[in-house]
Amino acid sequence: MKNIGIFYGSSTGNTELVADKLQALFGEENADVHNIDSVEIEDINQYKYLILGTSTWGIGDMQDDWEEFESSLKKVDFEHKKVALYGLGDQEVYADSFVDGMGKLYKVLSKKAKIVGRCSTEGYRHRQSMAVENKEFVGLAIDYDNEPKLMDTQIIRWVEQLKKEFK
Ligand SMILES: Cc1cc2nc3c(=O)[nH]c(=O)nc-3n(C[C@H](O)[C@H](O)[C@H](O)COP(=O)(O)O)c2cc1C
C-alpha cells in the first residue's frame, strides 16, 4: 500500500502541476495524487503521510474546491498522520495575502495534525502572509506566476526535507 497521499485543489493547473512533480520525486510506487474536487474522507484516511496543496484566490481565500471540502476535512482523524502543506500564490500582485490559502488550511489542521515541512521565508518579497508562523512558512510557498524557474529546485529541496520529516 502506498504511504503518501497528495491532495490538491487547483483552478488553472499550477497546484496540480506541483502535485505531479511531487509524486514523480517520491515515486509512483509510494505516492498517489488526488484532486480534492472528487475525494471522500475515506480516500484521505488510508494514508499515513499527507501532502495537501492549495492555491489562493479572491483576496486570501483557499482554492474553491478546498473551501467546499473544508467541513469534511474537519472530520478526518489525523492521529498517527503527518501532514505537509504547500501553497501556490503571487507575491507581487497579492503581496499582502501571499499564499494565505495555505495559511487557512493550516488553521483548520494545526490543532489536530502533526504538521511538517516548514520552510524559511528568506528570498520572498511579500509583505504579509497568513501562512507565516514564527517567521517561517507553515509549508512550501511557490510563486509560479513570477518565479517559475525557481520551482523545481524548491520542490526537490522540500522533498528531501519531507523524506526525513516523514520518518
Ligand atoms: C483573481 C485572482 C486572485 C488571486 N488571489 C491571490 C491571493 O490573494 N494571494 C496569492 O498569493 N495569490 C493569489 N492569486 C494567484 C494564484 O494563487 C496563482 O496564480 C496560483 O498559481 C494559481 O494556482 P492554481 O492554478 O493551481 O489555482 C490570485 C490570482 C487571481 C487570478
Side-chain angles (χ1 to χ4, degrees):
M1 208 207 95
K2 298 183 194 180
N3 267 337
I4 305 170
I6 303 167
F7 294 83
Y8 70 87
S10 183
S11 298
T12 64
N14 298 340
T15 311
E16 179 177 12
L17 176 69
V18 175
D20 291 339
K21 284 176 181 281
L22 289 166
Q23 184 192 33
L25 288 166
F26 279 107
E28 279 186 32
E29 66 285 8
N30 298 313
D32 289 323
V33 174
H34 299 268
N35 188 334
I36 201 67
D37 74 354
S38 48
V39 152
E40 307 289 333
I41 295 177
E42 299 76 59
D43 296 321
I44 296 194
N45 279 340
Q46 62 183 313
Y47 301 101
K48 191 167 175 205
Y49 307 113
L50 297 169
I51 302 177
L52 312 181
T54 182
S55 47
T56 299
W57 289 85
I59 302 290
D61 297 332
M62 271 189 258
Q63 194 270 344
D64 282 356
D65 301 311
W66 272 115
E67 285 196 332
E68 274 183 37
F69 194 77
E70 188 178 337
S71 55
S72 301
L73 190 64
K74 287 179 177 159
K75 294 182 198 145
V76 174
D77 179 7
F78 286 97
E79 214 179 336
H80 311 303
K81 291 192 196 300
K82 287 188 180 176
V83 181
L85 304 174
Y86 72 93
L88 276 277
D90 178 336
Q91 65 192 314
E92 291 189 354
V93 180
Y94 300 96
D96 291 312
S97 59
F98 180 51
V99 295
D100 274 8
M102 175 166 71
K104 288 190 174 158
L105 202 49
Y106 176 72
K107 234 177 138 188
V108 176
L109 299 171
S110 62
K111 294 210 167 63
K112 302 158 151 266
K114 172 143 183 55
I115 307 284
V116 298
R118 290 165 198 267
C119 295
S120 166
T121 55
E122 211 172 297
Y124 293 84
R125 301 180 300 281
H126 66 285
R127 280 187 297 268
Q128 255 189 357
S129 174
M130 280 180 62
V132 172
E133 186 183 72
N134 300 328
K135 299 190 178 155
E136 271 186 327
F137 282 116
V138 295
L140 175 64
I142 296 177
D143 183 349
Y144 184 66
D145 297 35
N146 299 298
E147 294 178 328
K149 287 192 187 137
L150 272 186
M151 182 170 79
D152 281 349
T153 326
Q154 289 172 323
I155 295 173
I156 289 167
R157 203 188 307 136
W158 195 54
V159 165
E160 287 313 308
Q161 178 182 341
L162 291 185
K163 281 180 180 169
K164 291 182 199 135
E165 295 184 17
F166 272 167
K167 276 185 187 150

